[in-house]
Amino acid sequence: MVVLGIDPGGANTGYGVIESKDGRLRHIDSGCIRPSRKLAFAEKLLVIYRGVSDLLDSREFDALAIEDVYQGINARTAARIGHVRGIVLLAAAERDIPVSEYPPNEIKSAVVGNGHASKEQVKFMTEQILRPDRQFESYDEADGVAAAICWCHRHQEQALR
């Protein structure tokens, strides 16, 4: 199973691609889609949409896992994250890729064992679990990877195939 995890954000949208085979997880790719800060928000959405679309077209995916909007952020930020989530969901739907949505505390719990873990702890544990060739460059990248790991943990029966 190949899973794409997404941490949606207007400034940085983190992603992680992992493979789950025979109960083992392998890091394939990860990074961030970073639209220029000079762009209008609609143009940033277009950059993110194209980046996610390119990712989804780069290989065959069995699932997409995306972080849900968390409580406690201001309404403007929540709305912007909602827009980014919408274009990611659209890109997946256009390609018939099943989507699972997880609240941040569920993703943190799946990776760290603590739903209130810090971004540093999530980054550390994703690197410990997957042992990628390089350290993740940002918390957004690690959060995208963590979403994919969460999918594999929540769908162990499918992930074992």
Side-chain angles (χ1 to χ4, degrees):
M1 305 279 311
V2 178
V3 181
L4 173 63
I6 298 284
D7 176 44
N12 296 310
T13 293
Y15 67 88
V17 180
I18 65 172
E19 178 184 48
S20 177
K21 188 174 182 181
D22 300 325
R24 301 186 76 125
L25 300 179
R26 182 175 67 91
H27 176 259
I28 296 174
D29 187 23
S30 58
C32 279
I33 301 166
R34 292 185 172 98
S36 169
R37 295 189 185 277
K38 296 177 184 178
L39 295 175
F41 186 64
E43 294 168 316
K44 289 179 182 181
L45 289 175
L46 181 58
V47 169
I48 295 166
Y49 174 78
R50 286 180 176 159
V52 170
S53 292
D54 288 347
L55 276 170
L56 292 173
D57 292 339
S58 70
R59 64 177 22 94
E60 203 165 306
F61 287 94
D62 297 295
L64 184 144
I66 188 167
E67 185 174 296
D68 208 346
V69 178
Y70 57 94
Q71 302 297 330
I73 60 173
N74 71 53
R76 184 168 192 246
T77 302
R80 287 181 173 252
I81 290 172
H83 291 307
V84 174
R85 284 174 36 77
I87 62 167
V88 171
L89 297 175
L90 172 64
E94 287 178 327
R95 292 157 180 83
D96 294 319
I97 298 171
V99 175
S100 295
E101 304 171 57
Y102 301 104
N105 62 341
E106 188 173 343
I107 293 172
K108 291 175 182 181
S109 183
V111 174
V112 179
N114 174 0
H116 300 288
S118 69
K119 290 208 170 269
E120 292 85 2
Q121 289 171 310
V122 171
K123 183 176 179 291
F124 175 81
M125 285 306 298
T126 55
E127 292 171 347
Q128 294 303 303
I129 292 167
L130 295 176
R131 301 283 186 199
D133 294 338
R134 60 170 177 81
Q135 288 188 328
F136 299 135
E137 294 178 16
S138 69
Y139 296 129
D140 301 304
E141 179 180 1
D143 286 350
V145 171
I149 292 171
C150 180
W151 187 95
C152 292
H153 285 224
R154 299 299 180 253
H155 297 85
Q156 283 183 338
E157 196 171 291
Q158 284 177 275
L160 287 174
R161 295 182 195 156

